[in-house]
Amino acid sequence: MTKQAPLRLWYTAPAPTACETDFAWQKRQPLAGWEKWSLPLGNSYFGTSVFGRIAVERVNVTENSFSNPFYWGVPHWGTGNGGTRTFGNLYFATGHETDKAENFVRDLTLDDAAAHVSYDYEGITYRREYIVSYPDRVLAVHFTAEKDGAPVSGKISLTAYTEIPFVRGYCIMEGDGGGRTDESYATSDRLIMRGVGLGYMVTQEGQLRAKAVGGTVSVSENGIRVENANEATFYFTCGTNYQMEARVFLESDPHKKLAPYADPHEAVTERLDKACEMSYAELYARHIADYRSLFDRVKLNIGYDEADLMIPTNILVTRYKNESRSAYLETLYYQYGRYLLIASSRPGGYPATLQGTWTAYDSSPWGSDYHHNINVQMNYWPSGIANLAECFLPYSEYAKAYLPKAKRIADEYIANAYPENLSSKGENGWALGTAALLYCITGTSAKDHSGPGTGAFTSLLFWDHYTYTGDTEYLREVAYPILRDMSLFLSKVLVEKDGKLLVKYSASPEQQNPDGSYYQTMGCAFDQQMVYESHRRVLESADILGITDDPLLDVIRAQIDRLDPVLIGLDGQIKEFREEEHYGDIGEYTHRHISHLVGLYPATIINKNTPEWLEGAKVSLTKRSDKSTGWAAAHRLCAWARTGLGNRAYDLYYSMLKNNTLPNLWDDHPPFQIDGNFGAVAGVSEMLLQSQAGYIDFLAALPDVWKDGSFDGLVARGNFVCGCDFANGKVTEMRITAQAAGKCRVKYAGIANAKISAPVAVLAEDMIEIDMGLGASITIVL
């Protein structure tokens, strides 16, 4: 089994305190260090960013439902002024002078999802540990002191207080309606940070309590004061009056969206009091058991130098940027992406935004929203293959809430653009545009920068969740209705031309004309491939579920072979536009999006069984170039992995770490966007294991630099959990466990002659088939 190195981000200085200037022109000046230096913790209900400061520690809090509407027409950066905004800050004033502290270290340990700070001060070693618990929905910060390795008494004295920042009657400028209030107060045993976001009239509340061993705890308007304690623990939780349900999306008045819902005070109080009944040790034990049940599923060893564990993470990143490769950093970055998904998307919580569940801004870049022309999809690409299927469920619940609104959008779109195909209300499928919040989704139009395929790009996530879990009930109750109604919508946007059925109003996401306007066309590759993929998955789902009496299935069968989803151009490239001849005739030559290759990844129409198309994809990828923004490099990484060229895939992974990675390992678009972190996890997983061509393909795109190593826990379609040992670039042992019963095919050179621990059917020299019952395991030694 795979032995993995300890996984730790660590630093020898606190996050800096001077104001950052990156976004000053937009009046966004949080204290420096959030984007580049803070360390994230989260449980999907809320996230915290730990700065690790000595004199006055800052912990920034984000709760994704504390959001602003989009205010179109107001000067903004990105999609619109609005979106997810910071919830507030917790501060811990220690009374220690920063320049007198010695031996400072702060870290984030991925193996237990905990942050730490330690330093020596006047002969005493002071330690802090921070966790954000999913089962108990609290942040806990634990303070201890020791001397010569033994606890000392009476040395913990500090004051904690809260802050709601950006309090004013507006967000960016007078009259935009996006202000917030501060109505915070203290009671006998806690601080309550409370206010209202005026855009959606969303009530926020956070509560902070403290417990101490020895010493005293007192509460006043100035904060919670701990004096002369042996150890102290601060407990914090928060919430709003938001409810994720359809009426929120259907209500057009922003001020009325939350009107029926209860004030969060009672729920927040109950949650905090329940947590405070536990000791820190009890709370930590519950946290670690829960977290490791997900994180420990996947282990990766691609070789590493143990000396790299002794180098601060920011120095490793700097060295990497200067051409000093670190296999340890490559492993750490991969597992950090899995950690971030666990921290920002768990059942019962909110789905991950463009920045996961972290923001320090009052008006975040691109609203820190749910961007549907690739970004939110990329957030969930690793959930299946990287063995975190549960982490997709918050988005699944989010989609259930917005679907009634999405059906109205489809009604309007068909009525305006294809009135001849209009059915009665609610019978035109569903559609959505790019930007979305927990409160709203935007519509699409015939002149949008992303075509109708955007919806199918999204619905593919639900099919993938089924294929990786094998959960037929999920397919029947959730995925099939979503896929079916998407194909219903798409069946209405096609027109006949030269014997083909093409999307009439089509756009390849964000491709522009020389004058800056978006290029509008008919039947671009993005839309055609996504219609094809949606139709194909509906037909497959219907077969699996035994559905035969739906008239839409006949419509889809009549359309699917006329979609012409992949065309090869004069340069051998996959054409982005039907009217394109040579690569680059239309649009930006090195555009960040590779939307004409969605059929390669995340879809599967282009694969090793379609060699001409696969070669065309390689041409297009080469000409598009490797250098791009963070998430765009991640998509290229995934696409190159699907071609089977491991060294080219590795080039992109190397490029991301060198060019698109901040000192705290967040992906740099720029600015920070979490989709690049998640896309990198998907890409590396695909380099090691693929299953889209109808069989499990171990080491499908292994680069030369990873010639020796092992992995365990990656998932192939059908819910087969796989492990592998390899040496000199060749498999020495494969391990497969069935988490769902079914037939499993494995393709690998010489596998017919391998030592196999159970009976198999030999289909060819390089292909076997295994009939596996639930829980069955098999080992294949080559």
Side-chain angles (χ1 to χ4, degrees):
M1 301 297 285
T2 299
K3 182 181 179 182
Q4 182 173 262
L7 299 169
R8 178 181 181 230
L9 289 72
W10 71 283
Y11 308 83
T12 57
T17 58
C19 277
E20 204 166 31
T21 59
D22 296 39
F23 316 120
W25 65 280
Q26 287 291 54
K27 301 182 181 179
R28 297 182 176 92
Q29 294 188 26
L31 292 180
W34 174 74
E35 182 181 51
K36 299 175 182 176
W37 295 97
S38 71
L39 296 175
L41 299 166
N43 60 8
S44 184
Y45 296 104
F46 66 92
T48 64
S49 301
V50 178
F51 288 70
R53 292 172 181 158
I54 296 169
V56 182
E57 168 65 300
R58 175 191 177 195
V59 177
N60 181 252
V61 180
T62 303
E63 205 272 11
N64 281 342
S65 71
F66 192 71
S67 185
N68 244 352
F70 293 129
Y71 296 102
W72 305 105
V74 175
H76 62 271
W77 178 30
T79 303
N81 164 38
T84 308
R85 60 204 310 198
T86 185
F87 191 91
N89 293 294
L90 310 177
Y91 294 99
F92 301 89
T94 65
H96 298 164
E97 297 179 46
T98 300
D99 59 1
K100 291 184 179 180
E102 299 178 318
N103 302 318
F104 177 90
V105 174
R106 65 186 178 99
D107 71 15
L108 171 63
T109 53
L110 303 187
D111 296 308
D112 56 5
H116 307 85
V117 170
S118 68
Y119 56 89
D120 296 336
Y121 192 82
E122 296 182 345
I124 303 297
T125 299
Y126 290 90
R127 301 188 188 279
R128 309 175 206 153
E129 184 169 64
Y130 314 68
I131 61 171
V132 174
S133 164
Y134 172 73
D136 294 301
R137 292 180 62 172
V138 294
L139 160 71
V141 187
H142 187 58
F143 292 79
T144 58
E146 61 187 54
K147 186 173 184 177
D148 299 327
V152 293
S153 300
K155 290 297 183 179
I156 303 299
S157 295
L158 72 152
T159 301
Y161 55 96
T162 65
E163 175 196 40
I164 292 180
F166 309 111
V167 175
R168 53 182 182 260
Y170 60 92
C171 182
I172 296 296
M173 60 189 299
E174 294 283 357
D176 66 17
R180 65 192 299 183
T181 68
D182 182 357
E183 302 157 15
S184 301
Y185 59 94
T187 70
S188 61
D189 68 345
R190 72 194 67 205
L191 297 181
I192 297 177
M193 56 186 300
R194 181 177 171 85
V196 176
L198 301 177
Y200 285 124
M201 301 305 293
V202 53
T203 300
Q204 66 169 123
E205 180 161 313
Q207 296 187 15
L208 180 69
R209 286 185 60 184
K211 293 170 60 178
V213 176
T216 62
V217 177
S218 59
V219 182
S220 71
E221 293 296 329
N222 295 321
I224 300 178
R225 178 67 183 170
V226 173
E227 287 274 7
N228 302 322
N230 304 337
E231 60 184 80
T233 306
F234 289 83
Y235 298 78
F236 173 84
T237 192
C238 62
T240 72
N241 57 330
Y242 175 82
Q243 297 291 325
M244 191 189 294
E245 60 181 39
R247 67 156 304 282
V248 172
F249 293 88
L250 293 170
E251 172 59 62
S252 59
D253 186 341
H255 289 177
K256 295 180 180 179
K257 285 180 178 288
L258 304 184
Y261 302 133
D263 188 284
H265 176 76
E266 185 175 333
V268 172
T269 301
E270 180 181 353
R271 202 155 53 237
L272 185 62
D273 289 350
K274 186 176 180 181
C276 286
E277 292 174 0
M278 288 180 278
S279 68
Y280 177 72
E282 291 170 328
L283 191 77
Y284 179 86
R286 286 167 54 83
H287 157 74
I288 202 70
D290 165 74
Y291 170 72
R292 287 180 176 168
S293 70
L294 276 72
F295 186 74
D296 286 355
R297 291 174 184 174
V298 173
K299 301 290 186 182
L300 175 63
N301 185 345
I302 50 174
Y304 61 93
D305 186 340
E306 290 199 7
D308 284 357
L309 278 68
M310 308 305 296
I311 299 172
T313 305
N314 57 303
I315 303 301
L316 274 182
V317 172
T318 299
R319 289 184 177 185
Y320 205 98
K321 293 178 185 296
N322 293 324
E323 312 294 338
S324 180
R325 175 182 170 258
S326 166
Y328 175 71
L329 183 61
E330 292 168 1
T331 303
L332 184 66
Y333 187 74
Y334 172 81
Q335 291 287 28
Y336 184 58
R338 294 185 67 249
Y339 162 82
L340 291 172
L341 187 55
I342 296 168
S344 61
S345 189
R346 297 287 301 275
Y350 304 120
T353 68
L354 277 173
Q355 295 181 318
T357 186
W358 301 279
T359 185
Y361 300 115
D362 194 36
S363 186
S364 304
W366 290 277
S368 191
D369 73 341
Y370 300 99
H371 243 51
H372 282 91
N373 66 352
I374 189 173
N375 312 92
V376 76
Q377 291 90 341
M378 185 177 287
N379 281 5
Y380 291 103
W381 287 351
S383 62
I385 192 170
N387 213 336
L388 295 173
E390 302 96 321
C391 292
F392 174 66
L393 296 178
Y395 186 84
S396 188
E397 293 301 310
Y398 174 53
K400 289 180 188 178
Y402 72 59
L403 274 170
K405 177 63 175 180
K407 289 187 176 184
R408 291 189 183 182
I409 290 172
D411 291 341
E412 294 167 3
Y413 183 87
I414 299 301
N416 291 329
Y418 303 86
E420 67 279 9
N421 295 336
L422 183 66
S423 299
S424 57
K425 288 184 178 181
E427 298 300 324
N428 295 289
W430 64 276
L432 79 170
T434 296
L437 299 173
L438 287 172
Y439 295 81
C440 67
I441 56 174
T442 52
T444 186
S445 73
K447 295 184 178 180
D448 203 348
H449 63 50
S450 301
T454 302
F457 204 14
T458 305
S459 65
L460 181 58
L461 291 170
F462 301 88
W463 168 258
D464 284 345
H465 182 75
Y466 160 71
T467 61
Y468 279 106
T469 63
D471 187 343
T472 306
E473 181 179 357
Y474 181 87
L475 179 66
R476 178 181 294 105
E477 300 298 325
V478 181
Y480 179 74
I482 287 174
L483 288 159
R484 187 260 182 207
D485 285 354
M486 175 48 58
S487 273
L488 173 61
F489 169 72
L490 296 173
S491 72
K492 295 173 178 287
V493 304
L494 302 169
V495 297
E496 186 170 356
K497 183 177 181 181
D498 300 329
K500 305 299 181 183
L501 291 175
L502 307 180
V503 175
K504 182 178 179 181
Y505 301 107
S506 182
S508 192
E510 301 183 28
Q511 271 285 16
Q512 295 176 300
N513 295 305
D515 65 1
S517 62
Y518 292 112
Y519 184 77
Q520 306 295 322
T521 186
M522 178 182 288
C524 76
F526 170 74
D527 286 322
Q528 296 299 124
Q529 289 174 21
M530 287 295 92
V531 177
Y532 184 93
E533 189 73 17
S534 181
H535 279 12
R536 180 163 68 131
R537 299 317 182 188
V538 170
L539 294 177
E540 288 185 43
S541 299
D543 286 344
I544 293 166
L545 298 173
I547 297 171
T548 59
D549 57 353
D550 186 345
L552 179 63
L553 299 177
D554 290 332
V555 174
I556 291 173
R557 291 187 188 100
Q559 290 183 346
I560 192 168
D561 290 331
R562 300 175 66 193
L563 292 172
D564 209 21
V566 181
L567 296 175
I568 302 298
L570 295 180
D571 297 327
Q573 84 280 16
I574 288 182
K575 294 168 65 170
E576 188 164 4
F577 305 99
R578 301 186 72 80
E579 58 272 33
E580 166 191 329
E581 294 184 353
H582 293 280
Y583 177 88
D585 283 348
I586 302 167
E588 186 179 341
Y589 199 95
T590 57
H591 197 273
R592 57 197 173 277
H593 284 268
I594 52 171
S595 302
H596 53 312
L597 300 180
V598 291
L600 174 66
Y601 191 96
T604 64
I605 183 177
I606 303 169
N607 59 57
K608 293 176 181 178
N609 297 321
T610 59
E612 182 185 7
W613 291 356
L614 198 60
E615 289 303 311
K618 295 175 187 177
V619 173
S620 291
L621 283 168
T622 300
K623 291 182 176 293
R624 203 65 143 201
S625 87
D626 289 354
K627 189 172 177 59
S628 195
T629 61
W631 63 262
H635 194 186
R636 286 159 167 78
L637 161 61
C638 294
W640 275 116
R642 283 281 175 91
T643 70
L645 297 182
N647 289 335
R648 290 296 287 117
Y650 177 79
D651 288 345
L652 267 298
Y653 193 53
Y654 184 90
S655 174
M656 290 188 71
L657 279 163
K658 181 179 178 182
N659 300 311
N660 304 109
T661 299
L662 297 169
N664 63 359
L665 301 191
W666 268 345
D667 173 75
D668 191 23
H669 171 61
F672 157 55
Q673 280 187 203
I674 206 166
D675 42 20
N677 288 102
F678 294 148
V681 175
V684 170
S685 299
E686 292 274 344
M687 292 165 73
L688 299 170
L689 186 80
Q690 294 180 25
S691 57
Q692 72 278 0
Y695 53 86
I696 301 177
D697 191 356
F698 284 86
L699 307 186
L702 188 73
D704 293 340
V705 293
W706 296 349
K707 64 179 181 177
D708 300 315
S710 63
F711 67 83
D712 276 293
L714 295 181
V715 181
R717 288 166 178 80
N719 208 351
F720 299 107
V721 179
C722 300
C724 178
D725 299 337
F726 49 95
N728 292 318
K730 303 293 184 182
V731 171
T732 58
E733 181 177 289
M734 303 173 184
R735 297 174 288 276
I736 304 171
T737 299
Q739 293 192 145
K743 291 186 177 181
C744 165
R745 288 189 175 186
V746 182
K747 185 175 183 180
Y748 194 81
I751 197 170
N753 299 315
K755 294 181 179 178
I756 304 175
S757 64
V760 302
V762 177
L763 305 182
E765 180 68 19
D766 62 354
M767 180 84 75
I768 61 171
E769 183 175 84
I770 317 158
D771 193 356
M772 301 188 72
L774 177 62
S777 293
I778 189 169
T779 301
I780 303 168
V781 179
L782 288 97

